[in-house]
Amino acid sequence: MPDPHAGSDARPSRPYLPAMGQGGPLVFYDVISRLFGAREAHARLVEVADLAAGPTALEIGCGTGNVLLAAAKAEPAATVVGLDPDASALERARHKARRVPAIRVEQGYADELPHADGSVDRVLSAFMFHHLPPDGKRAMLAEVRRVLAPGGTLSLLDFDGLPRPLGPFTPLMRLLGQRGQGHDHGHDHGHGQDEPLELAPNDRALTRALIAEAGLVDVVEVAEGRGSFGAWTIQRAVRSSD
């Protein structure tokens, strides 16, 4: 199996949504993520991904590396690679994972994964799918199928619908760099499209249909929950051996 660490050194030039919106300092990212209950959802994502049965994992939209660290802690023998277009977020992820040799991060986009066909056992993604327009979702899922080894799985965590308004946290988020543009709410991402950067609401049934359309099988919702941002689900699917 090709080395999953063989990523791309190219620097993306297409638009993307930074982890903390337009100019927000990343030092606050992890605190805000914890306040909004992302840790519990991340832990559930790592659990259902079953890294022990597929030790080569790629997270699309790794942000500052929270899921990567949770995955490495849950399965120390796993090789975990994170992909994101945001160089600043990746630098923070590298710093946080500096004592975890099994973790590597790379810069890139969800629709152009810098990995060989069939080179990854597990693909994970947390709270970035709703950043993609329909064509972007399809492009990402086609890439997921391409890089997954036969029998490999996708575990996709995202909102059911759109994130809820920030309520009393809105002034704080604006102070930290959010400018009221509607899509900047400081969570993981990992895409880049030519379309305008606007959120596309998720529907759990439509998400499963798109996953099946990409050629993945046994698509099922394996978990759901609710945090301060709203309801979330985890969809899981398998790359068939044909």
Side-chain angles (χ1 to χ4, degrees):
M1 180 176 293
D3 182 359
H5 286 180
S8 171
D9 293 326
R11 293 296 179 264
S13 58
R14 291 182 287 163
Y16 63 89
L17 301 180
M20 275 295 292
Q22 305 302 319
L26 282 169
V27 67
F28 296 107
Y29 175 84
D30 295 323
V31 175
I32 292 170
S33 180
R34 184 174 298 184
L35 284 174
F36 286 121
R39 173 179 284 185
E40 292 79 7
H42 290 166
R44 189 73 177 107
L45 174 66
V46 170
E47 179 184 356
V48 302
D50 190 17
L51 299 180
T56 303
L58 168 66
E59 185 197 356
I60 301 175
C62 67
T64 64
N66 293 327
V67 171
L68 301 178
L69 290 168
K73 182 178 180 180
E75 186 52 53
T79 297
V80 187
V81 182
L83 177 112
D84 203 283
D86 189 336
S88 296
L90 291 177
E91 185 58 33
R92 183 161 177 80
R94 287 190 187 97
H95 177 75
K96 289 161 63 175
R98 64 192 182 280
R99 296 187 179 88
V100 187
I103 292 177
R104 174 171 174 167
V105 299
E106 57 193 12
Q107 196 170 13
Y109 290 105
D111 61 353
E112 294 180 353
L113 299 178
H115 294 266
D117 296 0
S119 63
V120 178
D121 298 308
R122 299 288 184 264
V123 173
L124 298 79
S125 184
F127 296 126
M128 60 74 61
F129 201 60
H130 67 283
H131 284 185
L132 300 176
D135 288 348
K137 289 178 165 67
R138 290 185 173 91
M140 170 184 157
L141 292 170
E143 279 289 271
V144 168
R145 186 186 187 280
R146 179 184 67 78
V147 303
L148 274 174
T153 62
L154 165 68
S155 299
L156 178 64
L157 162 65
D158 212 329
F159 296 108
D160 184 31
L162 279 176
R164 288 169 34 182
L166 298 178
F169 288 96
T170 300
L172 172 62
M173 297 299 285
R174 287 178 176 171
L175 178 65
L176 298 180
Q178 310 297 349
R179 304 303 180 191
Q181 298 183 27
H183 58 253
D184 298 330
H185 40 81
H187 55 68
D188 294 346
H189 58 287
H191 63 89
Q193 304 293 328
D194 294 331
E195 295 90 343
L197 297 180
E198 298 178 355
L199 294 183
N202 285 329
D203 173 84
R204 62 181 73 190
L206 177 58
T207 296
R208 289 194 294 272
L210 290 173
I211 293 172
E213 179 185 305
L216 298 171
V217 301
D218 299 334
V219 187
V220 63
E221 182 177 310
V222 293
E224 64 179 345
R226 180 174 293 275
S228 298
F229 267 130
W232 53 263
T233 67
I234 300 178
Q235 312 296 335
R236 187 176 182 272
V238 180
R239 164 72 159 89
S240 65
S241 56
D242 58 7

